[in-house]
Amino acid sequence: MKMKKIMAAVLAGAMAVSMCGCGDSKAAATTSAAAGSSTAAAASTAAASTAAGEGTSKAIADGVLTVGTNAEFPPFEYVDDNGDPDGFDIALIKAIGEKMGVKVEVQNMEFDSLVSSIGNKIDVAIAGMTITDERKETVDFSDPYYEALQYVIVPSGSAIKSAADLSGKNIGTQLGTTGDLIVQDLASKDSTVTDSPYDTAALAVQDLLNGKIDCVIIDKNPAEVLSAQYTGKLSALDGKAFDFGAEDYAIAMPKGDTALQTQINKALADLKADGTFDALVKQYIEGSDSAAASDSTAASTSAAASTAAETTTAAK
Ligand code: GLN
């Protein structure tokens, strides 16, 4: 998908979630991975044989893997032109589901609700989610599939260049993310630092453009996609200059469901071995940060974004 389309989809998604405001937009966001009747047919046989071979996972006993995401995190997940979640993670989990022989249904919800919804509303979550010790108390993770780092989005010409420059700053983050945790930690050590968590990174970026906050700390790839939309106004700074450590994305799943974990890890390994994983990286991730959206789409969608921004304010 082209940059232009990704941004339009992202902003439409931001609006949809803002307007809903409930994190349970099931009907609008549910999509199915069954690409055709051959997939569906393969599904039942494969599910039966895998289950017999490797123990059963209650989560997929019905032949459906219900996946939670937060489609506000391009290029990993965003809402496409048809209103369906798309992006690297969505394509990856659909490919994993196909290998496992189960149907994949994606539900779009708030990032902050994902972990607590695993095992009840959803079976697993894929959302550019970093493995953290705190999350590991509640859920298990698959093998890591992508290495990430927090980046800092600043207005062009900002004096913010390294960790020391964050002192005295009001920093936008996305609620419940590792960026939010990093800034909470900074604020606990330096009372002049303020953490301003927003429901979505796009809303934080709007307030950055409006001058309400000094910078936004979010993961590298979304930082690059979002700042590329405002070339000349915003830049994304490498988190290494801020001493941020590497993070690993993985799929979160119910604690103790080793049958499910084994199947997901096997599918992931197979997709890496057969080249599908690399093809998805090329399709969705590489190139998504280099194209500047300096065309009419950026102008028209930024109007939509500010409307969305008005409906949500920073949590503090
Ligand atoms: N990687 C970050 C985290 O896990 C952000 C994920 C996201 O916003 N989707 O907290």
Side-chain angles (χ1 to χ4, degrees):
M1 183 184 262
K2 296 248 161 58
M3 178 69 186
K4 210 162 94 169
K5 278 196 165 178
I6 291 182
M7 286 320 305
V10 168
L11 290 164
M15 288 193 70
V17 169
S18 296
M19 288 185 297
C20 169
C22 56
D24 189 17
S25 46
K26 262 187 202 168
T30 300
T31 185
S32 161
S37 51
S38 60
T39 316
S44 44
T45 37
S49 61
T50 320
E54 293 166 6
T56 26
S57 162
K58 256 200 339 219
I60 51 167
D62 56 356
V64 179
L65 183 68
T66 308
V67 179
T69 195
N70 173 242
E72 302 276 356
F73 199 67
F76 294 97
E77 41 268 328
Y78 47 83
V79 177
D80 72 12
D81 293 345
N82 301 321
D84 295 322
D86 194 9
F88 177 82
D89 283 347
I90 309 305
L92 179 63
I93 198 69
K94 285 178 177 178
I96 287 173
E98 204 163 322
K99 288 266 184 215
M100 289 167 58
V102 293
K103 196 176 154 200
V104 171
E105 285 182 4
V106 180
Q107 286 187 22
N108 192 9
M109 52 178 69
E110 303 291 339
F111 183 81
D112 205 31
S113 316
L114 286 169
V115 166
S116 62
S117 298
I118 290 171
N120 46 83
K121 281 193 195 138
I122 53 175
D123 298 323
V124 301
I126 189 162
M129 189 181 284
T130 304
I131 301 174
T132 67
D133 288 342
E134 197 195 337
R135 290 173 185 155
K136 277 205 286 199
E137 284 171 16
T138 322
V139 292
D140 284 343
F141 284 96
S142 68
D143 290 334
Y145 64 85
Y146 195 81
E147 189 181 300
L149 182 71
Q150 297 299 303
Y151 262 41
V152 184
I153 307 179
V154 294
S156 300
S158 164
I160 298 173
K161 291 195 165 38
S162 67
D165 303 328
L166 295 175
S167 186
K169 298 297 186 288
N170 185 352
I171 305 172
T173 58
Q174 187 183 355
L175 184 68
T177 63
T178 44
D180 184 10
L181 290 178
I182 284 177
V183 180
Q184 279 176 27
D185 189 47
L186 285 176
S188 73
K189 293 174 185 147
D190 176 351
S191 62
T192 69
V193 171
T194 306
D195 180 24
S196 292
Y198 291 78
D199 285 344
T200 71
L203 293 173
V205 165
Q206 286 307 310
D207 266 5
L208 181 62
L209 290 164
N210 295 336
K212 289 193 190 148
I213 51 177
D214 299 301
C215 60
V216 174
I217 298 186
I218 58 161
D219 303 45
K220 171 185 170 162
N221 302 82
E224 288 179 335
V225 171
L226 289 166
S227 58
Q229 198 202 347
Y230 301 98
T231 314
K233 288 192 176 163
L234 300 179
S235 15
L237 307 178
D238 191 329
K240 279 190 207 125
F242 296 82
D243 307 323
F244 299 150
E247 301 180 14
D248 282 315
Y249 292 168
I251 299 157
M253 60 190 82
K255 217 169 174 41
D257 193 341
T258 48
L260 184 64
Q261 192 178 39
T262 305
Q263 286 190 47
I264 288 179
N265 283 340
K266 183 177 183 309
L268 191 57
D270 286 351
L271 292 167
K272 285 193 172 170
D274 71 14
T276 307
F277 185 91
D278 286 346
L280 293 179
V281 168
K282 279 203 179 68
Q283 182 184 347
Y284 286 98
I285 302 178
E286 287 170 6
S288 68
D289 53 4
S290 55
S294 57
D295 55 30
S296 58
T297 308
S300 64
T301 50
S302 74
S306 31
T307 317
E310 278 160 23
T311 64
T312 307
T313 47
K316 61 175 178 178

